[in-house]
């Protein structure tokens, strides 16, 4: 459910009200979801569960909560330590059930990092929690929509720390995960483009040498392994070329380099995918939207797109 004070509960209620393509269970707070359903004027019924079971569709939202119940008057649109800690607990319980084979995939609504930190949890976000709890060393964040797929070499670190985090091993790992993500999406022979770190991809060393020292050798290594990968390409043009159909995915070097192009195309249909986990995990590509939480105007399009992508990827996931 994500942060109960954000738009997550409304997105879920609207999604269930519109009808699901596959049964699902919600890990979250039953009281908050029931309050949300009433506020939206839906006829949905919230049913607490002890185990995920077969999930629910139609007019019933099955909710599983192994943590404490949130107060019924929890304010919407505000940072609250209880909601932040709850978002973490719901996620951890869902991860454990996915690892145990009780779930086909995880689809996550947004959490709020500040609220989670206030609740005593020191993680940058969903991705790092998922990796730590599953013991996954090789993982990456991919954002995708109908026009563009982007996978990141580095994720939630300061821009000043990015160059030191880039080496041949990190690049090789990201290229391999980009190949895996495309294969799971139904692309048999993915065409992978790798963006440079520096302006003009270093301009032959004039603007930096990370391309020559780390990125190009990783590309050569991946080619030797049979992958169709090219670059390093200048970051100011490679995303446009991918959008025009030249590449199936772009490996970007840092958070904003990769996510700005995807999000500029619109948040409505964007999906965040954690690649490399032992199960499929997708998410909305937007935040908790505290500014509109509780107002009944949140758009569930990104959550619906995340569910659709999860269903598609579960048919091809190696786990």
């Amino acid at each position: 459910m994500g942060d109960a004070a954000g738009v997550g509960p409304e997105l879920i209620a609207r999604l269930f009200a519109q009808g699901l393509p596959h049964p699902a269970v919600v890990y979250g707070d039953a009281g908050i979801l029931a309050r949300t359903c009433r506020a939206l004027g839906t006829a949905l019924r919230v049913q607490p569960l002890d185990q995920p079971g077969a999930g629910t569709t139609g007019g019933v939202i099955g909710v599983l909560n192994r943590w404490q119940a949130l107060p019924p008057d929890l304010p919407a649109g505000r940072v609250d330590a209880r909601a932040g800690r709850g978002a973490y607990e719901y996620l951890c319980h869902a991860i454990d059930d996915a690892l145990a084979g009780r779930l086909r995939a995880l689809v996550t609504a947004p959490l709020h990092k500040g609220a989670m930190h206030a609740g005593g949890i020191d993680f940058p976000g969903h991705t790092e929690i998922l990796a730590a709890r599953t013991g996954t060393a090789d993982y990456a964040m991919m954002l995708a929509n109908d026009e563009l797929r982007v996978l990141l070499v580095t994720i939630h670190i300061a821009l000043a720390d990015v160059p030191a985090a880039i080496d041949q091993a990190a690049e090789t790992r990201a290229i391999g995960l980009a190949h895996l993500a495309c294969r799971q999406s139904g692309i048999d022979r993915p065409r992978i483009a790798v963006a440079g770190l520096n302006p003009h991809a270093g301009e032959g060393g004039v603007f930096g040498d990370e391309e020559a020292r780390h990125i190009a050798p990783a590309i050569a290594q991946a080619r030797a392994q049979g992958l169709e990968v090219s670059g390093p390409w200048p970051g100011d043009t490679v995303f446009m070329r991918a959008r025009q159909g030249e590449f199936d995915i772009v490996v970007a070097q840092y958070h904003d380099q990769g996510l700005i192009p995807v999000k500029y195309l619109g948040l409505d249909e964007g999906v965040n995918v954690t690649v490399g986990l032992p199960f499929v995990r997708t998410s909305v590509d937007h935040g908790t939207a505290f500014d509109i939480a509780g107002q009944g105007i949140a758009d569930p399009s990104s959550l619906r797109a995340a569910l659709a992508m999860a269903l598609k990827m579960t048919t091809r996931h190696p786990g």
Side-chain angles (χ1 to χ4, degrees), residues 171-192:
E171 297 292 328
T172 301
R173 181 167 57 249
I175 292 169
L177 289 168
H179 180 81
L180 171 64
C182 288
R183 290 293 302 273
Q184 291 176 349
S185 299
I187 302 170
D188 292 332
R189 180 72 178 172
R191 300 164 300 164
I192 304 167

Side-chain angles (χ1 to χ4, degrees), residues 253-267:
Q253 299 303 319
Y254 57 93
H255 186 278
D256 283 12
Q257 182 190 51
L259 300 198
I260 288 174
V262 179
K263 294 191 175 186
Y264 180 75
L265 294 173
L267 299 176

Side-chain angles (χ1 to χ4, degrees), residues 1 12 24-31 33-34 45-51 56 60-65:
M1 188 174 77
I12 292 168
V25 61
V26 177
Y27 285 71
D29 188 88
L33 272 175
R45 180 170 59 88
V46 174
Q47 177 181 331
L49 303 174
D50 294 325
Q51 296 294 332
T56 57
V60 179
I61 304 179
V63 181
L64 199 156
N65 185 7

Side-chain angles (χ1 to χ4, degrees), residues 142-166:
M142 179 181 75
L143 255 71
N145 55 33
D146 290 340
E147 299 182 77
L148 192 60
R149 294 182 190 86
V150 175
L151 184 135
L152 305 179
V153 178
T154 64
I155 308 177
H156 296 127
I157 63 174
L159 186 58
D161 297 332
V162 169
I166 289 175

Side-chain angles (χ1 to χ4, degrees), residues 16 33 42 72 184 221 232 270 283 299:
F16 271 81
L33 272 175
T42 74
Q184 291 176 349
Q221 180 180 344
S283 180
D299 184 352

Side-chain angles (χ1 to χ4, degrees), residues 52-148:
T56 57
T57 58
V60 179
I61 304 179
V63 181
L64 199 156
N65 185 7
R66 300 191 183 106
W67 194 57
Q68 67 190 46
L70 293 173
D73 59 348
L74 181 83
R78 300 182 191 175
V79 172
D80 191 294
R82 297 165 296 182
R85 180 57 182 262
Y88 172 78
E89 297 292 344
Y90 312 145
L91 176 62
C92 288
H93 297 156
I95 291 170
D96 293 346
D97 280 349
L99 287 172
R102 302 187 186 101
L103 304 173
R104 289 182 61 190
L106 265 61
V107 181
T108 58
L111 54 75
H112 190 280
K113 297 175 180 64
M116 191 170 65
H117 292 169
I121 304 301
D122 189 20
F123 276 98
H126 272 119
T127 305
E128 293 80 4
I129 298 170
L130 284 153
R133 198 163 185 91
T134 61
T136 302
D138 294 340
Y139 64 94
M141 175 190 292
M142 179 181 75
L143 255 71
N145 55 33
D146 290 340
E147 299 182 77
L148 192 60

